[in-house]
Amino acid sequence: MDSKTLKIKANTDNNVKFLFDSPLEGTNAYGLYHLYKFDIEGEEHSLFATDNLHEKLKDYNKGDVVNIRKEEYEAGKMGWVVTPAEGVVARPSSTTTSSNAAVGIDDRTKDIHRQVCLKLAVQSMDTSETLDFAMVKLRMEGLINILDSEDDLL
């Protein structure tokens, strides 16, 4: 079966059915790649997933149906949204060791946490004088540690 390349445009629905339990992985001139094969309306399509998209797809298996969307969440910035079809459940691999992965904190959420912590760290300081960047960093990292903590501090 010849495979077409799936090119996902922003803000469009792409309902796909997984043809394999895992992607074909390897390295090339661009580094590590994750090649997924999907069935879309009876035709085979291939998709080289970015690392962020791969993280959202890796726990689905052959026969699973999901909708893949590339959405603009800020001017010029795109994020991936993967929504399983009704009755489809992702099966996380047992190799996940990150506490953040266990509670569903993705890279986009971590970035938002960093931005908020930086803003709060700067606001907590007396800005009438020149900012002490070392102190801003120290306060920011302290706030990030609270957000990313495994303890139930919040």
Side-chain angles (χ1 to χ4, degrees), residues 18-154:
F18 285 78
L19 292 177
F20 298 98
D21 285 333
S22 59
L24 175 64
E25 295 181 318
T27 55
N28 59 19
Y30 301 104
L32 179 65
Y33 65 82
H34 313 280
L35 177 62
Y36 284 87
K37 299 279 186 160
F38 301 114
D39 178 295
I40 301 174
E41 298 179 355
E43 294 184 349
E44 182 177 308
H45 286 73
S46 300
L47 173 70
F48 283 98
T50 63
D51 289 339
N52 287 337
L53 179 56
H54 168 66
E55 285 300 312
K56 294 177 185 279
L57 296 175
K58 69 180 182 177
D59 295 327
Y60 294 100
N61 293 308
K62 181 178 179 177
D64 289 346
V65 177
V66 299
N67 181 45
I68 304 172
R69 286 181 62 89
K70 180 168 57 171
E71 293 186 346
E72 187 171 25
Y73 61 91
E74 191 176 299
K77 295 188 179 184
M78 301 295 216
W80 296 104
V81 177
V82 175
T83 308
E86 188 172 329
V88 173
V89 178
R91 292 169 280 297
S93 64
S94 59
T95 58
T96 302
T97 57
S98 167
S99 63
N100 287 341
V103 295
I105 298 178
D106 61 7
D107 290 337
R108 181 175 162 195
T109 302
K110 287 184 206 174
D111 184 53
I112 292 168
H113 284 178
R114 291 183 58 79
Q115 292 174 33
V116 170
C117 290
L118 175 59
K119 181 178 179 180
L120 290 172
V122 170
Q123 287 176 342
S124 71
M125 299 182 68
D126 178 19
T127 55
S128 62
E129 300 175 17
T130 305
L131 281 177
D132 178 357
F133 292 110
M135 184 56 72
V136 170
K137 181 179 179 184
L138 182 68
R139 289 180 183 198
M140 180 181 148
E141 288 173 349
L143 290 167
I144 289 172
N145 287 338
I146 291 170
L147 279 175
D148 292 344
S149 174
E150 290 183 37
D151 298 332
D152 192 14
L153 297 175
L154 300 176

